[in-house]
Amino acid sequence: MAQAEKIAIVDMGAVFEQLPQREQVLKALQSEFADREAALKKKQEELRSLAEKQQRDAAIMSKDQQTELQRKMESIRSELQLKGKALQEDFRRRSGEEQNKLLSKVQKAIDALAKKENYDVVLQRGAAIYVKPSSDISSKVVEAVSKSK
């Protein structure tokens, strides 16, 4: 006689949304990139100030002054574009690294829970059309990961 397998379901999206570590990671990343963001905002303000000066003083500026101001503004725009793109890429990379660390913790919690409660199979929520609420172990996973450091 064949024995039915014990199956559990985990909603990974819900797990990640509920993890307290997620908020800590976000705050740490924001802190890590705060100086670079502040520098970009300062450059944006400088560019805005120069644009206002150009608009305000265009009639009284010589052609050379206008050209110099235009070049300075283009230089700042280029710098903003390069630094902004680098900041986004670095933030995305670091965010991915931190998310992978959390994913590893979640996976360990799922493995431990599956062994402890003798599950034969643990599936992601999207892999099943119907799930009996008692088969969803997402909240147990969140609790286990929340307790880990």
Side-chain angles (χ1 to χ4, degrees):
M1 210 167 167
Q3 183 179 356
E5 291 186 357
K6 190 171 177 187
I7 298 174
I9 299 292
V10 175
D11 186 338
M12 294 298 278
V15 168
F16 274 102
E17 284 180 22
Q18 296 173 23
L19 288 176
Q21 290 96 324
R22 182 175 159 251
E23 190 66 32
Q24 294 167 349
V25 165
L26 184 60
K27 286 180 183 178
L29 287 173
Q30 287 172 340
S31 174
E32 182 178 330
F33 289 96
D35 291 343
R36 289 172 63 185
E37 284 183 24
L40 276 178
K41 285 181 183 177
K42 186 176 178 183
K43 279 290 182 188
Q44 288 172 334
E45 186 60 35
E46 182 182 351
L47 181 62
R48 191 177 63 72
S49 175
L50 290 175
E52 287 174 359
K53 178 180 178 173
Q54 181 187 35
Q55 227 176 13
R56 184 182 62 239
D57 300 341
I60 59 172
M61 293 173 80
S62 70
K63 287 285 183 195
D64 289 343
Q65 289 173 324
Q66 287 179 4
T67 302
E68 183 180 329
L69 183 60
Q70 194 65 34
R71 285 182 180 152
K72 187 172 185 177
M73 288 171 57
E74 285 301 319
S75 173
I76 292 173
R77 275 191 199 103
S78 295
E79 184 180 353
L80 274 171
Q81 192 173 20
L82 283 173
K83 288 185 176 182
K85 189 174 183 177
L87 177 62
Q88 286 176 339
E89 288 173 6
D90 290 348
F91 187 84
R92 193 173 19 256
R93 179 186 51 78
R94 283 287 295 124
S95 182
E97 289 172 0
E98 293 300 322
Q99 192 157 2
N100 284 340
K101 288 179 187 176
L102 279 179
L103 180 60
S104 176
K105 287 181 180 184
V106 168
Q107 187 61 52
K108 287 178 183 175
I110 291 170
D111 292 347
L113 199 56
K115 287 177 186 170
K116 178 182 172 188
E117 297 190 12
N118 294 317
Y119 287 109
D120 297 311
V121 178
V122 178
L123 301 172
Q124 285 200 42
R125 177 65 180 103
I129 296 170
Y130 171 77
V131 177
K132 191 165 63 171
S134 62
S135 296
D136 189 333
I137 61 170
S138 300
S139 59
K140 292 178 181 180
V141 173
V142 169
E143 186 179 320
V145 174
S146 296
K147 288 179 181 176
S148 71
K149 294 288 175 172

